[in-house]
Amino acid sequence: VLRPDLTRYASWNHWDRNLRICSADTFKTIQTASTYSDDVIVSCSTSSDGSLLVAGGVSSLVHVWEIVRDKRSDIRFKASLAGHIDEVTCVQYASFLPFYARLTRDVKHLPEFSFMVSGGGRSDRRVIIWDLNMLTCIRSLEPLPGPAVALTVSSQTVRHLLLLQRI
C-alpha cells in the first residue's frame, strides 16, 4: 500500500508479524506496528493524508492504527473491529466532508467523516461499511454470491461501491 504522495509504503506478513511503514526512496523501515494478535494480514489501506492505516486478515478482524507524526513518529493501535466470520480479503479507506461543507468556504475546521469498507472471504461473503470516527459498523451487505476479491469506493460522492467477486 502506497501513500498518495508516494513517499512511504506499508508492508506486512514479516517473520515477526509486524506491520511496517517504509521509505519509498531508501526501502528502510521508518515505523513498526504490532498486530497485537496472531493475525496474518491479507489487505491494507491508508487514508489520503497518511494518518490512518486499516488492515484485514485471516482472523476475521479489521485493525485500525493511527499514524502520529511527532518527534518519535509513532503508530498507535486504535481498535480491532469484529463483524466478519471469515478472513477479511479486502479493505478500502474513504472519507468525505459532510454535505454542509459545500455551503462554507472555510472547510479546514469542519470534521471529516472517515469510513472503511471491508470484504469477506468464502464463508463470510459480506461487505461491511465501518465508521472510523466512532469505530462501529454502519451497515452490513450480505449475503453476496461469492467472496470479495477487491473493492473500491468513490470518496467524492460516497454513493458508489465497486466490488469484484469470485463466484
Side-chain angles (χ1 to χ4, degrees):
V1 170
L2 281 171
R3 274 199 30 204
D5 63 4
L6 304 178
T7 59
R8 296 178 182 183
Y9 66 92
S11 67
W12 55 88
N13 292 341
H14 298 281
W15 66 272
D16 57 1
R17 304 249 177 160
N18 285 336
L19 186 112
R20 296 187 173 110
I21 305 295
C22 304
S23 167
D25 296 331
T26 64
F27 303 106
K28 290 185 179 180
T29 301
I30 299 169
Q31 298 165 298
T32 303
S34 174
T35 57
Y36 294 106
S37 69
D38 289 334
D39 200 1
V40 175
I41 294 175
V42 176
S43 180
C44 195
S45 181
T46 183
S47 62
S48 56
D49 65 356
S51 64
L52 275 181
L53 184 70
V54 294
V58 297
S59 71
S60 76
L61 295 174
V62 176
H63 307 287
V64 182
W65 291 272
E66 181 179 19
I67 301 173
V68 181
R69 289 194 195 101
D70 54 13
K71 292 178 184 174
R72 295 179 345 159
S73 214
D74 248 355
I75 300 179
R76 296 184 187 143
F77 179 75
K78 286 185 80 170
S80 287
L81 307 174
H84 290 279
I85 59 170
D86 191 12
E87 72 177 312
V88 179
T89 55
C90 47
V91 294
Q92 178 65 51
Y93 173 91
S95 66
F96 68 97
L97 288 171
F99 71 92
Y100 55 82
R102 296 183 185 101
L103 305 176
T104 180
R105 292 183 191 157
D106 189 16
V107 295
K108 293 178 195 171
H109 304 292
L110 292 175
E112 187 177 74
F113 178 68
S114 298
F115 68 99
M116 168 187 53
V117 181
S118 59
R122 278 174 216 226
S123 302
D124 190 41
R125 296 185 345 215
R126 74 182 81 195
V127 171
I128 299 178
I129 303 170
W130 304 92
D131 178 344
L132 291 177
N133 297 57
M134 302 298 290
L135 297 171
T136 58
C137 173
I138 297 173
R139 174 166 284 197
S140 178
L141 310 173
E142 58 183 309
L144 300 171
V149 176
L151 54 84
T152 188
V153 179
S154 165
S155 59
Q156 298 299 319
T157 63
V158 195
R159 293 176 191 246
H160 306 321
L161 167 70
L162 176 63
L163 173 67
L164 297 175
Q165 294 181 296
R166 189 178 309 129
I167 299 177

